[in-house]
Amino acid sequence: MSQQFDVVVIGGGPGGYVAAIRAAQLGFNTACVDAFKNPEGKPSLGGTCLNVGCIPSKALLQSSENYHAVQHDFAAHGISVSGAKMDVGTMLKRKEGIIGKNAGGIAFLFKKNKVANVHGLGVLKGRTGERWVIEVTDNGSVVDTLEATHVILATGSTPRPLPGVAIDNNLVLDNAGALALTATPKRLGVIGSGVIGLEMGSVWKRLGAEVTILEAMPTFLAAADQQIAKEAFKTLTRDTGLDIQLGVKIGEIKTGKKSVTVAYEINGEKKSAEFDKLIVSIGRLPNTAGLGAEAVGLQIDERGFVVVDDNCHTNLPNMWAVGDVVRGPMLAHKASEEGVAVAERIAGQKPHIDFNAIPWVIYTSPEIAWVGKTEEQLKKDGIEYKKGTSGFAANGRALGLGMAAGTVKVLADAKTDRILGVHIIGPFASELIAEAVVAMEFAASSEDIARIVHAHPSLSEVLHEACLAADKRALHG
Ligand code: FAD
Ligand code: NAI
């Protein structure tokens, strides 16, 4: 006998679990089916983000930053520490503890909101009358059959493989392997200088690895504002000590017993490098394999994404899709907002997501964050703009923190002064960007921020100053 629901969500990551909670809050009888198992083989809600993505990477970034600070930054405060040691095992245990706490938190929220928590792989089987049929399997056996009026697909993404290179998570690692190394490798290679490459490269560099990042594109962080990207390149290579090689063509990758050799070409020159571990982080692919898309006629595009309209509705009646499995940036907050919006649409509401105001953050040191258009995009679109920049170098709070590297750049419409983009490299850019997002959502002008009182001393004064600079009346520049 099938269990019947108003809404079944397939996938329990930030897109799916949030959609399920919101649907339940709106009065729908809701189930969430998720297949993720932790290394102990136990179900663990939260998807990629919580288990092998956003949260564990930030935990390791913090641990490695602390270790780095003890060694390099404390002396300036008059604190001398000798014999500081890094116990990678304790660091990993702390990370696992954070994951466990948050995953348990989602299970608790499911109980609180009466969301049925179903563990297993959800497969679309077809229709019975007006309802969709979803079969749930676990370890190859059918464990449940669910029927739903509405289905929300939130199956996320998996690492994009490099042809001919097998991920064994021993020598050649994907994101899960990169987050679970039990010792610091002496020589770490990374293919791809995107977000994962830079974050994971920073972690292991601070813990003592020599890190070489091999990037195919000739441009560093091509999606970011290039003024900020250039500053980031300089800081990450000079201060963090990452060896980032751009414009690389990867050749044969040979896995030995204890090391991996990567042949590559750069500026027409053939080279080869041997690494103790190699991370492959060259993007992610939507996760639709085994979902039953073909069986029900679900439209998938040529890159494997579930095709949706602006409302996250698929080509099938009452079937929706959110998060990494659909177009748009692969970010947890984007997935969650789509999940909420779909639940509300099912309830007949008319939510709206402003895709132009989705913040990006790269948690390197210093952090990089942006929202809205880059200077390159504005030029390409022929939009006249003015810009204001201000550095952290003279900011009292940044100096007190010992984190005075970085810049805030504000781009505003030349005529209306409406803020079109804000780009930050600097301390706590991940937090500072929130003010810019709010400003853009409220269609603020740079003058609006320039006229708002910002606490002193605070990092937010640098955004304030950049807005003053956009109007050519910087006080400290
Ligand atoms: P996912 O989180 O991938 O969740 C999908 C879930 O569905 C998984 O549990 C999967 O097992 C399950 N599933 C798949 N198919 C089925 C099926 N047929 N039946 C049942 N269950 C199924 N984003 C940020 O915004 N900030 C960050 O700091 C950040 N850091 C990251 C760091 C790393 C190392 C990685 C890899 C990613 C990071 N991301 C970050 C991206 C972020 O993790 C994703 O954008 C986000 O997890 C997408 O959410 P989702 O719900 O769409 O999918
Ligand atoms: P990415 O898309 O950020 O970067 C991949 C990089 O690999 C690109 O620079 C690309 O040019 C390069 N590349 C592709 N093929 C290559 C090849 N054959 N040889 C060498 N380089 C090659 O993807 P990444 O880092 O794997 O992360 C996946 C996604 O996860 C990100 O796009 C982001 O959406 C999400 N994420 C977000 C984080 C955050 O918000 N802080 C942190 C980590 C991941």
Side-chain angles (χ1 to χ4, degrees):
M1 176 67 188
S2 308
Q3 296 191 66
Q4 297 193 355
F5 293 94
D6 300 320
V7 177
V8 167
V9 183
I10 304 184
Y17 89 75
V18 168
I21 291 173
R22 187 70 188 121
Q25 284 176 347
L26 290 164
F28 296 113
N29 180 19
T30 304
C32 181
V33 185
D34 186 69
F36 196 92
K37 286 189 199 319
N38 67 18
E40 289 159 15
K42 295 200 179 118
S44 181
L45 289 165
T48 303
C49 172
L50 176 51
N51 291 286
V52 286
C54 327
I55 304 302
S57 56
K58 268 79 252 179
L60 298 194
L61 279 157
Q62 190 58 49
S63 298
S64 64
E65 269 187 46
N66 289 351
Y67 181 61
H68 186 269
V70 168
Q71 291 180 312
H72 301 279
D73 304 338
F74 278 22
H77 296 263
I79 306 167
S80 54
V81 180
S82 58
K85 280 197 195 121
M86 185 68 209
D87 177 4
V88 172
T90 303
M91 174 179 83
L92 294 184
K93 223 185 260 167
R94 175 180 179 272
K95 174 204 77 169
E96 291 303 328
I98 294 169
I99 295 171
K101 196 168 175 199
N102 271 358
I106 299 171
F108 167 78
L109 289 174
F110 275 4
K111 261 198 200 129
K112 184 179 158 199
N113 289 284
K114 301 192 174 54
V115 173
N117 181 359
V118 181
H119 178 72
L121 200 66
V123 184
L124 300 167
K125 283 292 173 186
R127 295 275 264 177
T128 167
E130 293 288 289
R131 287 193 301 275
W132 290 105
V133 179
I134 301 112
E135 193 175 82
V136 183
T137 63
D138 192 23
N139 297 324
S141 313
V142 177
V143 291
D144 226 330
T145 304
L146 315 177
E147 288 180 19
T149 311
H150 289 267
V151 173
I152 304 175
L153 304 171
T155 52
S157 63
T158 45
R160 186 158 84 83
L162 191 60
V165 186
I167 300 287
D168 59 8
N169 275 335
N170 173 34
L171 291 175
V172 185
L173 319 167
D174 60 12
N175 54 300
L179 290 162
L181 281 174
T182 52
T184 305
K186 192 166 170 316
R187 300 161 302 174
L188 175 66
V190 181
I191 302 189
S193 74
V195 201
I196 295 180
L198 294 176
E199 291 189 356
M200 296 320 301
S202 298
V203 166
W204 297 107
K205 173 69 199 174
R206 290 179 199 138
L207 298 184
E210 285 163 25
V211 179
T212 307
I213 305 184
L214 303 173
E215 164 61 42
M217 298 276 285
T219 313
F220 182 62
L221 288 179
D225 185 277
Q226 283 305 296
Q227 181 184 343
I228 299 295
K230 284 199 178 90
E231 191 168 336
F233 186 82
K234 212 193 277 170
T235 317
L236 294 174
T237 50
R238 185 190 57 198
D239 300 344
T240 307
L242 298 174
D243 175 8
I244 306 172
Q245 304 285 330
L246 301 175
V248 166
K249 192 164 171 241
I250 301 290
E252 197 186 357
I253 298 182
K254 276 197 200 144
T255 309
K257 275 206 178 106
K258 286 196 170 158
S259 66
V260 188
T261 308
V262 180
Y264 62 97
E265 208 179 299
I266 185 165
N267 300 325
E269 205 185 320
K270 286 196 188 326
K271 292 195 172 188
S272 149
E274 192 182 353
F275 302 112
D276 302 302
K277 304 279 177 189
L278 177 72
I279 298 173
V280 178
S281 49
I282 56 167
R284 295 180 62 85
L285 298 177
N287 202 357
T288 48
L291 185 60
E294 256 179 47
V296 296
L298 177 68
Q299 200 184 341
I300 307 281
D301 74 14
E302 65 287 352
R303 293 186 304 151
F305 289 93
V306 174
V307 176
V308 287
D309 64 15
D310 289 348
N311 293 334
C312 289
H313 197 264
T314 72
N315 64 312
L316 299 173
N318 292 350
M319 193 171 296
W320 312 76
V322 301
D324 280 10
V325 80
V326 303
R327 81 285 173 268
M330 288 184 166
L331 296 172
H333 39 287
K334 176 262 191 186
S336 295
E337 287 311 313
E338 285 182 335
V340 167
V342 164
E344 293 180 349
R345 270 177 208 126
I346 292 172
Q349 299 180 10
K350 298 209 173 343
H352 172 72
I353 299 174
D354 182 356
F355 281 91
N356 190 41
I358 294 177
W360 272 88
V361 180
I362 307 178
Y363 293 79
T364 44
S365 181
E367 293 180 348
I368 302 158
W370 71 88
V371 60
K373 303 274 191 225
T374 63
E375 206 172 336
E376 291 72 29
Q377 283 168 329
L378 293 177
K379 278 187 186 144
K380 191 164 151 259
D381 296 347
I383 297 170
E384 281 183 45
Y385 63 91
K386 55 184 178 173
K387 73 174 158 183
T389 56
S390 183
F392 288 90
N395 176 268
R397 178 83 171 121
L399 287 166
L401 285 165
M403 297 171 152
T407 303
V408 175
K409 170 170 169 178
V410 172
L411 299 167
D413 188 283
K415 288 192 198 83
T416 66
D417 191 30
R418 183 176 174 162
I419 297 173
L420 302 174
V422 175
H423 305 269
I424 307 175
I425 175 166
F428 299 101
S430 53
E431 304 296 333
L432 294 175
I433 201 66
E435 181 179 358
V437 177
V438 172
M440 283 186 63
E441 282 287 2
F442 283 79
S445 61
S446 73
E447 186 184 355
D448 286 330
I449 292 191
R451 291 193 183 278
I452 290 171
V453 182
H454 288 70
H456 176 74
S458 74
L459 300 171
S460 68
E461 288 173 295
V462 184
L463 175 62
H464 181 241
E465 190 75 17
C467 287
L468 285 167
D471 201 25
K472 300 209 174 5
R473 54 193 189 96
L475 292 166
H476 300 90

